[in-house]
Amino acid sequence: MKKNKLGVLPAVPYIVWMAIFVVVPLILVVFYAFTNEAGGFTLANFSQMGSYTKVFARSFSLSAVATAICLLIGYPIAYVLSKETPMFQRVAMMLIMLPMWINFLLRTYAWMSILENTGLLNTLFDKIGLFDLINWIGLHLASDPGKYVPIEHFNMINTQGAVVLGMVYNYLPFMIMPIHSVIVKIDRSMLEAARDLGADSKTTFRKVIFPLSLPGVLSGVTMVFVPSVSTFILSRLLGGGTTMLLGDLIEMQFMGGAYNPHLGSAISLIMMLVVMVCMSIMNHFGDGEDTAVML
Amino acid sequence: MSEKLINLENIHKDYGGKTVLDNLNLYVRDKEFVTLLGPSGCGKTTTLRIIGGFETPSAGVVYFDGKNINDVPPNKRPINTVFQNYALFNHLNVYDNIAFGLRIQKVRESEIKDRVNRMLKLVSLPDYGQRSIDRLSGGEKQRIAIARALVNHPRVLLLDEPLAALDLKLRKEMQRELKAIQQQVGITFVFVTHDQEEALTMSDTIVVMNKGRIQQIGTPVDIYNEPKNAFVANFIGESNIVPGVMHRDKLVSFCGRTFDCLDGGFAPDEPVDVVVRPEDFEMVPPEEGQLTGTVRSLLFMGVHYEIMVETEQFTWTVHSINRADVGDRVGLYLTPDDIHIMHRS
């Protein structure tokens, strides 16, 4: 291969960028995590971690649920899309990306006004008489009609479900895109070969298309799961503070009343480690495939 | 060898108004090696895909063993294909690739193991089972693709330009090997190629196609020696094609001279195309030749020289093992069976 005359020179801007904005902050995080306010070495920040187990568990489980839902919705969309004409695919992909051009906060506020007790959905349900119907049925089924409390709205905002909905809504495109781009690149002759060897379309999907699309699934899962775990604004706006997530906990240590950057750094570090472990386990399953695009 | 295993009747194929196959009639006998030969875009691959079930004809019927199989999908046809780019599953290793079809048929794993190993031996790649597809060379992929198709014991194997991507030496080797495999397993091969030499060396029957139509069907010897029209003559080997007039049976004139020939059945004084193969000329001293001309160029081709001889009316391509220098006057001599007469196309 011909040697590049410039050597590593073209990579220098990126290396400098990485050094300043990735490596240095990482070192700072590690430094803060292992020191106390006086600047002395301590493991105290980590010994407090036990009291936050619930937040860790909640963050990871809600993110896992959101990722699973994204996969269940996103894979079929990506698969069906890949069979359409290139023109249709381009337009559809643009429509899928379109919401991402709107400010994240604005989108989340919009969801708040949709999910609120007096919001769009509840008003709609009220107008079509859904609550009247439910109350009528409830009243008739209740053993003691006197004690039956009629409902006026569904509790949608300030629930874990709303947080998961927010995650799914915001990160779904990141699931669809990598899966779609992997599926469209699958050689059509490979599908014909499967048919030729006796596979019907279901078997072809199970034995050829799905295994070959796994790298895309891995990328998609990574790209949905990682931002979901560290999100904080979603849980505050849609979860109403009832569902504190890791992102909120970390934010509180740096910006909030519980100012303690040392603890915040320790939590960040642990979160990073757990995410990395999750991802490497995931990637291990996809061993032998083309390595997934890690972000 | 008389049973019509595959029979294509009046096949038409249009793609968005463009005719790809025009009234194609063709049958393939059991255990025959048939080659569809023609330039790119002649419809040979489309014909193969129609037999495989990957394309449906716009009109016409495909019969297999006497039954209409127009509506039978590829996975239900007793036919397997070796694809041009091999189309091996690169998420599976060599063994699992070959076992793919058998597992779909729910064959017992112990039997699968036997059959896969036998196939690996047949294509001379034993011990390759655990290799990943990415680490195979072009020739090895080729063999695995053949093994993956043959392991299912198809009645017919379709091969779509399977040797196109291989280098010359490997291609020659695979040609011999494919022919040997076909004779060993004793099944029908339908082979697509644009390489006339490949077609001549391997086939029992060659089907020459051009622009969606069959030009000629015959044995390699027939096709080479008795091309039906100028296209076939030109496509199969090199040819000199000159206009002539057929005066009566066995008497033709071209280039201002009258020649005896062996053909007949033309109208009196019918204008015809006269075909002479370059290797059929005998180069003689000028006074002994029926045609005389001047050597314009000389190319050494290995076994023979390719000599361009310019006569008054035409510049002939002549293959001769004798050398002649540029500028020499030479004579060309033809015997009656060197001259092939064809209807004007």
Side-chain angles (χ1 to χ4, degrees):
Chain A
M1 212 157 67
K2 220 172 82 179
K3 240 194 156 180
N4 192 339
K5 269 186 203 152
L6 293 169
V8 293
L9 206 65
V12 166
Y14 182 65
I15 292 172
V16 171
W17 174 274
M18 285 280 285
I20 297 175
F21 295 105
V22 179
V23 178
V24 172
L26 254 178
I27 292 170
L28 280 178
V29 167
V30 175
F31 175 75
Y32 269 91
F34 286 101
T35 52
N36 56 23
E37 271 165 67
F41 177 82
T42 176
L43 288 174
N45 297 321
F46 293 96
S47 59
Q48 293 182 44
M49 215 54 69
S51 43
Y52 300 115
T53 321
K54 266 197 181 150
V55 184
F56 270 94
R58 191 186 298 131
S59 275
F60 279 90
S61 58
L62 287 189
S63 303
V65 170
T67 307
I69 294 173
C70 279
L71 184 59
L72 286 177
I73 301 173
Y75 196 101
I77 293 176
Y79 178 63
V80 170
L81 258 185
S82 69
K83 292 182 164 180
E84 296 294 334
T85 61
M87 186 60 201
F88 185 92
Q89 291 189 38
R90 269 200 296 280
V91 173
M93 272 330 242
M94 214 184 68
L95 289 177
I96 289 168
M97 304 262 289
L98 201 61
M100 290 163 63
W101 300 354
I102 300 161
N103 181 283
F104 183 89
L105 215 55
L106 214 61
R107 278 180 279 160
T108 311
Y109 278 125
W111 270 113
M112 284 173 72
S113 67
I114 291 172
L115 299 176
E116 262 165 0
N117 293 347
T118 55
L120 199 66
L121 271 180
N122 273 323
T123 312
L124 182 73
F125 292 150
D126 191 36
K127 284 277 189 299
I128 62 170
L130 188 64
F131 299 123
D132 292 340
L133 182 69
I134 291 171
N135 288 333
W136 183 80
I137 293 170
L139 205 61
H140 282 265
L141 291 180
S143 49
D144 182 0
K147 277 190 186 157
Y148 178 76
V149 186
I151 61 164
E152 281 155 13
H153 55 76
F154 287 134
N155 266 333
M156 291 183 286
I157 197 81
N158 301 346
T159 59
Q160 296 196 348
V163 178
V164 171
L165 177 74
M167 290 173 176
V168 170
Y169 174 77
N170 280 303
Y171 302 127
L172 185 60
F174 295 111
M175 184 64 86
I176 298 173
M177 279 189 296
I179 296 176
H180 175 259
S181 75
V182 169
I183 292 182
V184 291
K185 278 195 212 107
I186 295 176
D187 192 351
R188 290 212 37 93
S189 69
M190 237 183 262
L191 310 185
E192 287 188 348
R195 299 282 284 173
D196 186 73
L197 294 166
D200 55 23
S201 44
K202 243 190 255 167
T203 317
T204 304
F205 177 81
R206 192 164 51 80
K207 292 194 132 188
V208 180
I209 299 173
F210 186 72
L212 284 173
S213 67
L214 272 184
V217 172
L218 288 181
S219 304
V221 167
T222 311
M223 287 165 76
V224 171
F225 186 71
V226 174
S228 294
V229 164
S230 55
T231 184
F232 60 96
I233 201 74
L234 279 176
S235 50
R236 183 166 325 146
L237 295 181
L238 297 174
T242 55
T243 48
M244 186 194 267
L245 298 185
L246 280 174
D248 306 288
L249 190 61
I250 296 167
E251 199 228 3
M252 271 166 56
Q253 308 308 319
F254 288 96
M255 309 303 236
Y259 184 75
N260 185 354
H262 301 280
L263 179 62
S265 296
I267 300 171
S268 303
L269 206 60
I270 298 285
M271 186 182 89
M272 226 155 61
L273 285 176
V274 178
V275 167
M276 275 165 71
V277 168
C278 289
M279 288 306 126
S280 64
I281 291 170
M282 285 286 303
N283 273 329
H284 188 73
F285 279 118
D287 220 17
E289 314 292 336
D290 299 359
T291 32
V293 194
M294 288 282 283
L295 272 199
Chain B
M1 287 266 287
S2 62
E3 188 200 350
K4 290 180 184 177
L5 186 60
I6 300 170
N7 196 0
L8 306 180
E9 271 184 13
N10 308 317
I11 300 288
H12 279 265
K13 181 69 187 175
D14 302 314
Y15 282 120
K18 194 175 166 283
T19 302
V20 184
L21 292 178
D22 188 7
N23 197 30
L24 188 103
N25 283 284
L26 171 68
Y27 63 85
V28 177
R29 286 179 291 237
D30 200 13
K31 298 184 177 29
E32 193 178 20
F33 196 124
V34 176
T35 300
L36 308 179
L37 174 67
S40 49
C42 73
K44 56 192 192 300
T45 297
T46 306
T47 308
L48 196 78
R49 290 173 60 80
I50 284 175
I51 298 174
F54 299 110
E55 307 275 355
T56 40
S58 312
V61 184
V62 183
Y63 293 100
F64 188 91
D65 236 354
K67 282 191 283 288
N68 179 340
I69 56 163
N70 271 19
D71 298 325
V72 178
N75 48 322
K76 299 266 192 276
R77 297 189 182 196
I79 296 173
N80 284 117
T81 307
V82 176
F83 291 86
Q84 186 169 12
N85 61 353
Y86 318 132
L88 295 173
F89 305 121
N90 45 28
H91 62 294
L92 302 174
N93 65 17
V94 168
Y95 183 96
D96 291 334
N97 261 278
I98 301 176
F100 191 92
L102 298 177
R103 290 203 172 121
I104 284 167
Q105 293 169 43
K106 303 227 167 10
V107 176
R108 270 182 300 111
E109 279 298 324
S110 57
E111 191 190 334
I112 290 178
K113 198 175 166 197
D114 280 355
R115 282 167 71 173
V116 170
N117 286 335
R118 220 179 309 141
M119 274 303 140
L120 283 170
K121 241 177 246 147
L122 181 74
V123 296
S124 341
L125 294 175
D127 313 322
Y128 266 60
Q130 298 313 311
R131 298 225 186 165
S132 89
I133 297 299
D134 303 333
R135 267 184 253 135
L136 300 181
S137 71
E140 288 165 350
K141 281 184 184 166
Q142 181 57 66
R143 286 158 201 247
I144 299 304
I146 292 165
R148 183 179 69 174
L150 283 179
V151 76
N152 304 292
H153 299 326
R155 296 282 301 277
V156 178
L157 186 68
L158 308 178
L159 303 104
D160 186 6
E161 306 219 17
L163 309 180
L166 307 181
D167 63 61
L168 184 66
K169 195 158 176 292
L170 195 56
R171 198 157 70 222
K172 297 257 181 214
E173 201 182 305
M174 282 304 294
Q175 285 174 12
R176 253 192 299 276
E177 227 170 290
L178 261 182
K179 184 72 190 167
I181 288 174
Q182 191 248 344
Q183 280 160 355
Q184 202 178 331
V185 295
I187 61 166
T188 309
F189 274 36
V190 182
F191 188 93
V192 160
T193 185
H194 62 263
D195 183 334
Q196 47 103 3
E197 201 191 320
E198 204 163 276
L200 290 174
T201 51
M202 298 171 74
S203 323
D204 297 320
T205 303
I206 295 178
V207 180
V208 185
M209 294 179 67
N210 188 35
K211 293 183 179 153
R213 287 165 185 267
I214 291 177
Q215 303 295 316
Q216 187 171 0
I217 303 179
T219 66
V221 175
D222 284 348
I223 298 257
Y224 190 83
N225 287 340
E226 302 294 334
K228 240 188 198 162
N229 58 36
F231 174 82
V232 178
N234 234 339
F235 196 76
I236 309 284
E238 276 178 275
S239 285
N240 297 286
I241 302 175
V242 289
V245 175
M246 196 71 181
H247 296 299
R248 55 182 163 79
D249 281 359
K250 303 186 181 184
L251 192 70
V252 64
S253 73
F254 57 90
C255 291
R257 260 206 67 139
T258 307
F259 293 82
D260 289 327
C261 65
L262 302 177
D263 297 88
F266 294 84
D269 292 324
E270 185 182 330
V272 290
D273 282 326
V274 179
V275 172
V276 184
R277 295 284 184 193
E279 68 272 20
D280 286 344
F281 284 106
E282 197 184 336
M283 222 168 42
V284 293
E287 59 278 9
E288 291 171 29
Q290 295 148 315
L291 300 162
T292 52
T294 311
V295 174
R296 285 295 165 221
S297 73
L298 181 79
L299 278 178
F300 179 59
M301 307 290 285
V303 177
H304 62 265
Y305 293 95
E306 182 174 295
I307 304 162
M308 303 302 281
V309 178
E310 187 182 316
T311 63
E312 236 168 88
Q313 291 88 355
F314 190 73
T315 302
W316 301 88
T317 306
V318 178
H319 289 174
S320 170
I321 52 170
N322 299 317
R323 193 191 157 92
D325 286 307
V326 173
D328 283 359
R329 292 287 294 171
V330 294
L332 298 174
Y333 187 83
L334 290 168
T335 58
D337 64 342
D338 296 333
I339 298 165
H340 309 288
I341 313 297
M342 294 174 315
H343 290 281
R344 267 294 157 76
S345 46

